[in-house]
Amino acid sequence: LSEMRKDSTTLIKKYLEEMKRLETELALYRRRAKQLQEELKEAHEALQKDEEIFEEKMREMKEICERNVRLEEMLKDRKPASPQRQDAPAVFAIRLGDLDDAASGRPTSPALPGSDDADEKETTKPDLEDTRASQKHLSEQLQSLEQNVV
């Protein structure tokens, strides 16, 4: 009888130790799951911010593309004899200075066709080249954002 008690006591102790080990392991898994959920939430928030930035950059790119087309038309109208560049890049960007000016609310672009601004006549080839450089910079920013989102 005492031998059976010793065996059952040992068995019960083993079961209790196993239960403690499992409870500890469960607590670790729960902590890890909570940590992963928090990381997932942060990743979703970061993705949302990146998507908003990407959308804004796409709008800026469209505006600059339209501006570039108008400037090319203006340049073409002013110098009909000059050949158009066929190898002009189709990428778009904004100079950092333009971004700062736009954020402060100061106008950054030259007058466009149809405006009543007296400076309209001063829009020249350098404006077009600046626009192209800006377009290239924005394109690089968009590619970087796309890589970060993926």
Side-chain angles (χ1 to χ4, degrees), residues 61-149:
M61 186 173 181
K62 182 180 177 184
E63 290 170 3
I64 287 178
C65 180
E66 292 169 356
R67 178 177 178 233
N68 189 40
V69 167
R70 289 188 298 258
L71 287 172
E72 284 178 343
E73 289 172 359
M74 288 174 64
L75 183 62
K76 186 175 156 183
D77 291 343
R78 290 176 191 209
K79 298 181 181 180
S82 68
Q84 291 289 326
R85 284 181 34 149
Q86 297 299 322
D87 60 339
V91 293
F92 313 106
I94 295 176
R95 291 178 301 173
L96 292 177
D98 289 346
L99 287 175
D100 292 339
D101 290 344
S104 68
R106 295 180 296 218
T108 59
S109 60
L112 298 172
S115 70
D116 295 323
D117 191 6
D119 293 333
E120 181 177 331
K121 295 178 182 177
E122 294 180 15
T123 303
T124 62
K125 191 170 183 173
D127 291 331
L128 182 60
E129 291 169 358
D130 287 345
T131 300
R132 286 184 178 146
S134 297
Q135 291 168 341
K136 182 177 180 185
H137 182 71
L138 184 57
S139 177
E140 292 167 357
Q141 289 177 339
L142 287 171
Q143 288 174 356
S144 174
L145 283 171
E146 286 174 344
Q147 290 173 355
N148 289 341
V149 170

Side-chain angles (χ1 to χ4, degrees), residues 4 26 43 97 131:
M4 285 179 72
L26 177 62
T131 300

Side-chain angles (χ1 to χ4, degrees), residues 27-38:
L28 290 173
Y29 283 124
R30 284 183 178 163
R31 265 189 248 122
R32 180 68 177 144
K34 184 177 180 180
Q35 177 187 8
L36 290 172
Q37 286 175 340
E38 289 173 3

Side-chain angles (χ1 to χ4, degrees), residues 11-28:
L11 184 60
I12 291 172
K13 284 182 181 179
K14 285 183 182 179
Y15 283 142
L16 288 173
E17 288 173 3
E18 180 67 12
M19 287 175 59
K20 285 182 182 178
R21 184 188 69 77
L22 290 172
E23 286 173 349
T24 302
E25 192 174 323
L26 177 62
L28 290 173

Side-chain angles (χ1 to χ4, degrees), residues 1-14:
L1 186 63
S2 71
E3 194 172 304
M4 285 179 72
R5 286 184 192 156
K6 286 181 182 178
D7 286 340
S8 65
T9 304
T10 304
L11 184 60
I12 291 172
K13 284 182 181 179
K14 285 183 182 179

